[in-house]
Amino acid sequence: MGVFSELKFSVPWGHIAAKAWGSLQGSPVLCLHGWLDNANSFDRLIPLLPQKFYYVAMDFGGHGLSSHHHPGFPYYQQNFVNEVCRVATALKWKRFSLIAHSFGGVVGGMFSCTFPEMVDKLILLDSFPFFVDSPEIHNLLTYRRRSIEHVFQVEAKQGKPRNVVRPEEMLQSFLKNNLQVGEECGKLLLERGTTKVPEGLVLNRDRRLGMPENHFELISKDQLAYFCKKIQARILMVKATQGYNYYRKVKEGEIEESMASMLNVVKSTLKERYQYVEIPGNHYVHMREPEHLARIVGNFLESNPAPQANL
């Protein structure tokens, strides 16, 4: 399982890159990385998981080795849901499991309620299946405006060469902006997230990928209840004790209240199809200490799938 192969799927704007482990005859599992990460996010976890599965970890558009989206438009959460569907279609997968970290979990949650018949298990690694508008609704228009303005700023720099940085400087800058990832895992993500040039390294990711909240889809509580009812998959939520950092610094009580309310809706709707586990570690526990969750994830993957409803 340490051996992987590179994949490339054609899309109208270029290609979606991915890497795969295991046999094509294995039960399919698609892995979704977090914001500004890439498919290398799963390099340390997948070799520890059951070998009877076929694992594919994709790079979202604008990330890793995947093509950037067409010029002129921001990236939105629904773009990435679209990409999951394109990859599953290219692989001819009718039904599969999802392992998703951080922002990838929100994409996986939205895909699971939009295409419920396609997902049998959704495994969330220090993530949530949705972002609920409270307490962020008062910032929604700010986010939308900032997203458009950011595209204009990027376009104004078109034609200018990307910054070339020495490898050590690139790593230190990356670690400064990703305090929990750690040096070894930071190097692993930069392997796929940068391109070597004679003078050093340049980042691969699209410059339009700015602050993550500019790209999230915030849903209402009514939408949350409706979306959860559409999910057919069983959900495993693995929470790291020193993990998930909310994407804005809002009062801690508001965050806890909002997230607790969302989880109560998910739990009460899915009932026995919902499982919650806490493990020691930070937001990147799946990379830094994958052995802490490999058994939990492996057992869930091997458990009986939820019965498929007739749509």
Side-chain angles (χ1 to χ4, degrees), residues 94-95 112 114-120 230 232 308-309 311:
K94 301 297 184 183
R95 193 161 169 86
S112 296
T114 307
F115 299 91
E117 75 283 1
M118 296 185 70
V119 184
D120 61 359
K230 291 295 182 180
Q232 294 184 23
Q308 187 171 2
L311 296 183

Side-chain angles (χ1 to χ4, degrees), residues 47-167:
L48 303 179
L49 298 180
Q51 298 186 23
K52 64 182 183 180
F53 295 89
Y54 181 56
Y55 302 92
V56 174
M58 60 183 283
D59 292 327
F60 285 130
H63 295 72
L65 302 179
S66 286
S67 298
H68 297 182
H69 285 190
H70 288 307
F73 297 93
Y75 285 80
Y76 289 119
Q77 180 180 311
Q78 197 66 15
N79 299 148
F80 303 122
V81 177
N82 177 312
E83 292 178 7
V84 172
C85 191
R86 288 181 183 274
V87 169
T89 300
L91 290 166
K92 296 182 171 60
W93 288 357
K94 301 297 184 183
R95 193 161 169 86
F96 55 95
S97 297
L98 285 169
I99 299 177
H101 172 243
S102 195
F103 178 74
V106 185
V107 176
M110 191 60 68
F111 182 86
S112 296
C113 66
T114 307
F115 299 91
E117 75 283 1
M118 296 185 70
V119 184
D120 61 359
K121 298 185 182 76
L122 173 61
I123 299 171
L124 302 170
L125 306 181
D126 209 47
S127 181
F128 297 94
F130 304 104
F131 280 120
V132 183
D133 60 19
S134 177
E136 283 290 313
I137 189 63
H138 57 281
N139 291 316
L140 182 57
L141 293 179
T142 300
Y143 296 156
R144 291 182 177 180
R145 173 173 176 157
R146 196 165 62 189
S147 178
I148 294 170
E149 291 176 341
H150 182 66
V151 170
F152 294 164
Q153 291 168 6
V154 170
E155 290 174 351
K157 297 178 182 179
Q158 283 182 350
K160 295 182 180 180
R162 282 181 170 267
N163 291 333
V164 179
V165 182
R166 290 189 298 109

Side-chain angles (χ1 to χ4, degrees), residues 90 202 252:
V202 294
E252 185 174 342

Side-chain angles (χ1 to χ4, degrees), residues 1 4-9 16-24 26-33 39 42 46 53-59 84 87-88 91 93 96-100 192:
M1 285 293 289
F4 66 89
S5 57
E6 290 286 348
L7 305 176
K8 188 179 288 189
F9 306 100
I16 296 173
K19 54 197 305 185
W21 293 258
S23 168
L24 284 167
S27 299
V29 180
L30 186 63
C31 304
L32 309 178
H33 63 76
F42 297 98
I46 289 175
F53 295 89
Y54 181 56
Y55 302 92
V56 174
M58 60 183 283
D59 292 327
V84 172
V87 169
L91 290 166
W93 288 357
F96 55 95
S97 297
L98 285 169
I99 299 177
R192 195 174 182 88

Side-chain angles (χ1 to χ4, degrees), residues 230-291:
K230 291 295 182 180
I231 293 176
Q232 294 184 23
R234 294 175 59 204
I235 291 184
L236 168 65
M237 183 175 292
V238 182
K239 177 70 171 66
T241 53
Q242 282 81 45
Y244 186 77
N245 290 327
Y246 200 58
Y247 59 94
R248 271 190 61 84
K249 295 179 180 179
V250 191
K251 292 181 181 178
E252 185 174 342
E254 289 182 335
I255 297 171
E256 292 179 353
E257 181 181 351
S258 176
M259 294 303 167
S261 175
M262 183 197 64
L263 292 182
N264 283 336
V265 173
V266 175
K267 182 178 180 180
S268 62
T269 304
L270 272 66
K271 298 183 171 63
E272 70 277 359
R273 290 188 288 125
Y274 173 76
Q275 182 179 343
Y276 178 89
V277 180
E278 281 198 12
I279 61 170
N282 69 22
H283 190 52
Y284 283 89
V285 66
H286 68 299
M287 293 189 71
R288 299 190 66 172
E289 298 161 307
E291 64 279 358

Side-chain angles (χ1 to χ4, degrees), residues 178-197:
N178 299 270
L179 297 177
Q180 293 194 332
V181 71
E183 182 171 339
E184 201 169 345
C185 296
K187 289 179 180 179
L188 185 59
L189 290 172
L190 286 175
E191 280 180 13
R192 195 174 182 88
T194 59
T195 296
K196 291 182 180 179
V197 296

